[in-house]
Amino acid sequence: MKSNLLMNFSVNKETITVNIKREFNASLANVWSAWTEAEILDQWWAPAPFTSKTKRMEFRAGGQRLYAMVGPENQERWGLIDYTSISPKTNFKYSATFCDAEGNPDSTFGSSYWNVNFSEQGNYVIVAIEIKRDSLSDLEKIIEMGFKEGFTSTMETLDKILEVQK
């Protein structure tokens, strides 16, 4: 097993995007499921010490996921995902917005537009993600909030989940 899986993270201020390329030592079916099924997402979609809990999720074009990242003192940070397109086991796109527990958007942060691509390379799966923000100030705000560190942490948790599934 490879011990150092690929993790590239870059910020392009001109295009207001974050680009992430991450390698997983798992099957495409397992990686896809981990990104698209609430029961598995809730196991990794929050950096420690936070946990994730899904209130509702319909993984389909036009569907949504309403979820919270729950902190160690039960503080909740809600997010709403609106799925815009899905090509099974190759790509899905969505917009993500911070919101309240009912899914009402929090205009303080703007939205992120995710384009998530899956491909197989030998025994590994590459997930390539482009995240576009509404404005440069929104992009800088999420970077300052620790997005890179938090996302890196969640990827390490996902690795552990995928390892158990082998």
Side-chain angles (χ1 to χ4, degrees), residues 142-153:
I142 65 159
I143 298 301
E144 288 167 15
M145 289 171 58
F147 179 73
K148 179 180 181 180
E149 297 77 9
F151 198 80
T152 300
S153 170

Side-chain angles (χ1 to χ4, degrees), residues 7 9 22 147-157:
M7 171 76 179
F9 186 104
R22 183 60 157 78
F147 179 73
K148 179 180 181 180
E149 297 77 9
F151 198 80
T152 300
S153 170
T154 63
M155 294 296 97
E156 292 166 358
T157 302

Side-chain angles (χ1 to χ4, degrees), residues 11-12 23 28 31 42 49 52 56 59 66 71 73 77 80 82 88 90 98 134-135 140-141 151:
V11 176
N12 185 327
E23 183 177 52
L28 178 58
V31 175
D42 282 347
S52 176
R56 69 173 190 266
F59 185 70
L66 178 61
E73 296 172 17
R77 297 183 185 157
L80 180 67
D82 284 296
T90 58
F98 289 106
D134 287 324
S135 69
E140 290 172 337
K141 195 182 299 184
F151 198 80

